Amino acid sequence: MLAMTEPGTTLGDIIHQRTADLTPAERRVARTLFASNLMAGFDTVAGLAARSGVSGPTVLRFASKIGFTGYADFQRALERDVAARIDSPLRLYGRSPPEQRRDHLLDIAGDSFAHSVTSTFASLPRGEFDAVVALLADRRRTVYTSGGRFTQALAEMLHAHLYQLRPRARVIAYTPQGRADALLDVARRDVVVIFDVRRYQKDTIALAEAAKKQGATIVLITDPWLSPIADLADHVLTVDVDAPSPYDTLVPCIALLEALVAGIVGRLGDDTRRRISTLEHLRKGYTWDDQEFPQGPEERES
């Protein structure tokens, strides 16, 4: 096996990083894999070719281009990748590292989180990060944010920053009605930022598909195994999720989110400072205790 030699590298990582080297036909194979959460890779060469609408040799060339010596080699890597991707909190119990018996949990957790953030930032493509910052800083575009059961909190955190930094920031509520109502207004040139990590949610995937059909630009923040949304996303940023507990950590995702915010502030410059200053002025002008609003021009003149 030639691919996946770096620690923590996943099959999804490899395919995503090498998409630019693939021919249009080979990219159809990649799309078929992502659309099936990579499960189509367990099919035969002929089966995967038929599902992708390509020839058998195209599938073999695809496997070779992403770094494998053959299709069987690719499938062996896929078996290991899928086993890691479907790990549940219950299965992760009992997999604590031996050093937990020697060190205090705070030492272990600190080292784990620091490593996850460092590895995340080291593996992020600089161009992709810069492109996402540019999109989120474009005040002509409406930016929507949404997530899943746990990651909705990240979507709301990003929105809390965005609405202070720029106009046209919206958060999509994590409810069927909230998502349907938001999709009513999603249009071409809008940006939809979606957080989706493993044990990917069907409703979140459906939201991305609907937004894409309406012409939105999709930004996906996901784990190294890649949500199926990666197949249709315009930009994908991955974060490490290894944690000292049975649950995937969101610490690197928060760090990435704050790095994006720093990038947006840098691009918007003085406009951001003026907007925040205006917001602070408006907040000071309204007192909940007095229920008083700042006087408008007509009130001051009378």
Side-chain angles (χ1 to χ4, degrees), residues 19-185:
T19 297
D21 300 328
L22 302 178
T23 65
E26 291 160 356
R27 289 179 188 175
R28 286 201 292 273
V29 178
R31 285 197 294 270
T32 299
L33 289 169
F34 284 134
S36 66
N37 217 1
L38 299 187
M39 300 304 288
F42 288 113
D43 207 341
T44 63
V45 170
L48 179 55
R51 294 174 68 165
S52 305
V54 300
S55 66
T58 296
V59 172
L60 296 177
R61 286 194 297 271
F62 166 81
S64 176
K65 276 195 178 179
I66 63 173
F68 296 95
T69 57
Y71 193 66
D73 190 26
F74 163 79
Q75 287 189 318
R76 283 191 291 271
L78 178 59
E79 288 176 0
R80 291 189 291 272
D81 185 272
V82 170
R85 180 151 38 91
I86 63 176
D87 268 346
S88 68
L90 184 60
R91 285 187 58 185
L92 290 172
Y93 271 107
R95 287 179 51 184
S96 300
E99 57 264 29
Q100 284 199 10
R101 293 192 294 267
R102 301 192 305 269
D103 301 331
H104 192 281
L105 177 59
L106 286 176
D107 299 321
I108 297 166
D111 290 344
S112 175
F113 296 145
H115 177 267
S116 294
V117 171
T118 300
S119 64
T120 292
F121 281 27
S123 63
L124 283 171
R126 272 40 183 172
E128 189 81 332
F129 175 85
D130 292 342
V132 172
V133 168
L135 276 174
L136 300 185
D138 188 346
R139 290 173 296 175
R140 298 168 299 177
R141 296 174 180 265
T142 298
V143 176
Y144 295 85
T145 60
S146 189
R149 186 177 302 109
F150 288 100
T151 55
Q152 179 67 14
L154 298 171
E156 294 178 1
M157 183 183 300
L158 179 57
H159 169 260
H161 287 290
L162 288 176
Y163 94 90
Q164 290 195 22
L165 301 177
R166 45 152 298 158
R168 302 185 184 90
R170 308 281 186 271
V171 63
I172 300 177
Y174 181 55
T175 64
Q177 181 177 345
R179 289 185 162 184
D181 290 352
L183 285 169
L184 180 64
D185 294 324

